[in-house]
Amino acid sequence: MADQHSAAAQMPQLVEGPFPLSTLRHSVAHLMASAVQNLFPGVRFGFGPSIEHGFYYDFDLPEPLTEKDLARIEKEMRRIAQHSPAIQMRTVTREEARKILAGQGQDFKVEAVDLIPEGEAITFYYHGPEGKEWGDLCEGPHLDSFKDHKFFFKLLSLAGAYWRGDEKNPMMQRIYGTAFWTQAELDAHLAWLEEVKRRDHRRLGSELDLFSTHPEAGAGFVFWHPNLGTVRRCLEELWWEQHEKNGYEPVYTPHVSRESLFAVSGHLENYADMMYAPMELDEMPYRVKPMNCPGHVLIYKDRGRSYRELPLRWAELGTVYRYERSGVVHGMLRVRGFTQDDAHIFCSADQLADEIAGVCRMVDFFMKTFGFEYTAYLATRPAEHTIGDADIWERATQALRDAADSIGLKLELDEGGGAFYGPKIDYKIKDALGREWQNSTIQCDFNLPQRFDMTFTNHEGKPERPIMVHRAILGSLERFVGVLTEHYGGRFPFWCAPHQVAVIPIREEHSAYAKTLVDRLRGQRYRVEAMLEAGHMNKKIKTAQKAQIPFMLIVGEREAQDGTVAVRPRGDGDQVVVPFEDFLSKIEILRRDRVAE
RNA sequence: GCUGCUGUAGCUCAGUGGUAGAGCACUUCCUUGGUAAGGAAGAGGUCAUGGGUUCAAGUCCCAUCAGCAGCUCCA
């Protein structure tokens, strides 16, 4: 409990400043730009807004910047701030703006002028020593002065970024930084960044022996080590348990199919650049599956279906392969082969709302189990390129709303954010570090039933088109477990921890008693790290602590005599000596109820 | 894919064109220790891979692979 709620893990609490924080940060971005201009005279400027945790500014420079330059720029910023008693706004006409910027060779800024809508004021903001003010095209607002306010900033990192975020445009150099009204807040933010780094699942992945990737296998392919394999097995057990309780049935589908299957499903025309190249078998092209849905449709179509068997709920932990561009693969969070916790529900239109509600309840159950807060978004019909009549879109969207209403789930609106084939509900979860992730999704699909000409016989004996619902709760196991690792900082709750209990005798002569504990625990299917070999108790404690094992049982003479154990929880908790039987009943509850620590 | 950076022992990292280094981890021996590092010794490297420059390359150059920070794109 202590660790993930420690001060460093929390987003800094912000104090009120004389101006909103975003204004400060935007102004500091200007300050940075003026410093860059002083140090690198030929610079051309892009955009420099404030963002969630700070600000950035994009520059076009002949030479690449290095980390060393950041310190120089910071220094120059402090100097300029001291000589900037006033920040002043000047309103100009569109023509004047163009002229000023063209005269300075600021081509990107000239383009920026054209982006300002007709009728809006065009303004410049100036700061710096009198007579040598530096000005930037900007809608503001800004501080009134740098010199008269106390503020604290730090430049953090360098990156490339396309002009106006379009990969067809030239690449600029971006400097990220952050700013606060107090040193304490800046320090807290930097500590938070450190904590994010410390909890990085790639780092924990190697520290805790969780997973690896290998150049020999190629980028974006994850190898699950025994420790993380154990976590995954626990999740899968929970997953199947919940799916059985909710009326889902397991299906398994092949990883490779004839290409023509994906032609019928439409993946080939819409998704080909994400799919692996075809392979020839018996002079016929085959493909590795990028999604599980076509396979489930084939099962549906294997025989006629009656309204009496609907809804059908079919679940599969299905591994899919997608080509991701080389620069985007990232640990377990963005990979080229992953396992979706997939399911498809085939139902009639009037069953839709109930089915959606059922899925929402499951999402809620899982997210509570893992301790994630979440927000749900209703994504409605996009403006163009959709399939299905307006009528069915309207009914399905209403079904999603009704479903949410029926279980008291509040939906934020994501207008026009639906897929081309139907409306959906997407979930964003918030982890222990306050970061957001998108995992769960519930999507109505009118497309595949039509493409595959799926039908069921309704009570009038007529063929009717089912609605297909795609849904994933965890998203992909790789991404989810990666997020979970960071969420817990490697301190997996007892029920899914790779090793649950470490047994540590104080002296070798206590090994016999320790061994009886190990045997009892193993007999009840606990995952026990038996540290019975000769060696120092302190070292074993340290090892167990570093491995984040939830409980250490430390036993010596007194414990052996009394049939007790000294329970040392990981982290800062107090050690207690309890009868071994008491310990057993305590952990039984932690396991059975999957208690989130 | 794009821009920039990086690749030395399992991990974290030094290494200035001239004999490959440290700490931790690991192995062995000694140590019997009541709650996060007892001591000693040992082993561990084709310096990512392939080419090039040089009398000489971990070090300089090129390519490839992989990783990192982002951008774009995504579960």
Side-chain angles (χ1 to χ4, degrees), chain A residues 18 71 97 104 128 177 181-182 216 248 345 390 422 447 513 518 531 552:
Chain A
Q104 297 168 347
W181 291 113
T182 65
E216 296 91 323
Y248 286 77
I345 299 170
N447 180 46
Y513 176 60
V518 169
M531 303 174 120
M552 286 168 250

Side-chain angles (χ1 to χ4, degrees), chain A residues 349-362 376 378 395-411 424-425 427 442 444 469:
Chain A
D350 55 347
Q351 291 170 330
L352 187 58
D354 278 349
E355 288 309 305
I356 302 293
V359 178
C360 292
R361 268 194 291 267
M362 287 179 77
L378 174 67
R395 282 168 65 199
T397 308
Q398 193 52 47
L400 293 175
R401 282 202 190 92
D402 292 345
D405 279 350
S406 73
I407 58 164
L409 171 69
K410 190 167 173 291
L411 291 180
K424 57 181 183 170
I425 295 177
Y427 286 77
I442 308 169
C444 299
V469 176

Side-chain angles (χ1 to χ4, degrees), chain A residues 20-36 47-59 70 73-74 77-78 136 142-143 146 151-159 173-181 186 189-190 193:
Chain A
L21 196 55
S22 59
T23 304
L24 169 67
R25 288 169 173 175
H26 190 183
S27 294
V28 176
H30 275 222
L31 187 58
M32 177 169 79
S34 63
V36 168
F47 289 124
S50 84
I51 52 175
E52 191 184 358
H53 297 299
F55 61 86
Y56 67 79
Y57 212 117
D58 289 341
F59 306 104
L70 295 185
I73 296 168
E74 276 187 14
M77 287 167 71
R78 289 182 217 289
D136 193 5
H142 282 280
L143 310 186
F146 283 121
F151 56 91
F152 302 84
F153 64 88
K154 186 165 173 59
L155 304 187
L156 296 171
S157 59
L158 292 163
Q173 299 189 59
R174 175 172 295 181
I175 302 178
Y176 284 95
T178 193
F180 293 90
W181 291 113
L186 177 59
H189 182 74
L190 297 178
L193 289 177

Side-chain angles (χ1 to χ4, degrees), chain A residues 244-353:
Chain A
E244 273 171 29
K245 279 188 183 171
N246 284 277
Y248 286 77
E249 299 169 294
V251 295
Y252 295 88
T253 60
H255 287 205
V256 174
S257 297
R258 280 174 56 182
E259 187 179 80
S260 49
L261 176 66
F262 300 107
V264 175
S265 71
H267 287 109
L268 222 46
E269 45 180 304
N270 297 312
Y271 211 72
D273 53 343
M274 297 288 284
M275 291 174 67
Y276 283 76
M279 56 188 121
E280 296 285 325
L281 300 173
D282 300 330
E283 294 173 15
M284 224 177 295
Y286 283 74
R287 294 277 195 155
V288 178
K289 67 175 170 181
M291 291 190 191
N292 300 305
C293 18
H296 293 197
V297 171
L298 290 183
I299 298 174
Y300 181 98
K301 278 178 63 83
D302 187 53
R303 60 173 172 79
R305 300 285 171 181
S306 152
Y307 74 94
R308 292 174 190 278
E309 38 183 340
L310 302 189
L312 290 163
R313 306 187 192 100
W314 291 342
E316 176 176 15
L317 293 171
T319 304
V320 297
Y321 293 87
R322 298 181 187 177
Y323 171 73
E324 294 284 357
R325 297 208 284 177
S326 64
V328 306
V329 296
H330 181 95
M332 303 187 78
L333 302 183
R334 190 77 182 271
V335 295
R336 286 175 167 172
F338 57 93
T339 301
Q340 291 183 307
D341 74 313
D342 213 351
H344 295 95
I345 299 170
F346 304 96
C347 65
S348 61
D350 55 347
Q351 291 170 330
L352 187 58

Side-chain angles (χ1 to χ4, degrees), chain A residues 384-397:
Chain A
E384 37 193 34
H385 304 306
T386 60
I387 73 135
D389 332 323
D391 172 51
I392 191 160
W393 269 90
E394 189 36 54
R395 282 168 65 199
T397 308

Side-chain angles (χ1 to χ4, degrees), chain A residues 555-566:
Chain A
V555 293
E557 226 141 62
R558 298 200 290 270
E559 288 79 9
Q561 234 159 47
D562 305 345
T564 55
V565 289

Side-chain angles (χ1 to χ4, degrees), chain A residues 158-230:
Chain A
L158 292 163
Y162 299 107
W163 164 238
R164 296 180 59 196
D166 188 330
E167 65 181 321
K168 291 194 269 303
N169 286 340
M171 177 80 58
M172 306 183 78
Q173 299 189 59
R174 175 172 295 181
I175 302 178
Y176 284 95
T178 193
F180 293 90
W181 291 113
T182 65
Q183 183 71 46
E185 288 169 298
L186 177 59
D187 290 345
H189 182 74
L190 297 178
W192 180 77
L193 289 177
E194 282 303 309
E195 181 68 10
V196 167
K197 231 196 247 169
R198 198 180 70 72
R199 289 183 180 217
D200 189 305
H201 74 286
R202 293 163 300 180
R203 176 178 173 155
L204 292 173
S206 109
E207 279 176 14
L208 301 176
D209 197 9
L210 300 176
F211 76 96
S212 54
T213 57
H214 301 272
E216 296 91 323
F221 297 110
V222 173
F223 292 77
W224 299 64
H225 295 196
N227 284 341
L228 201 60
T230 301

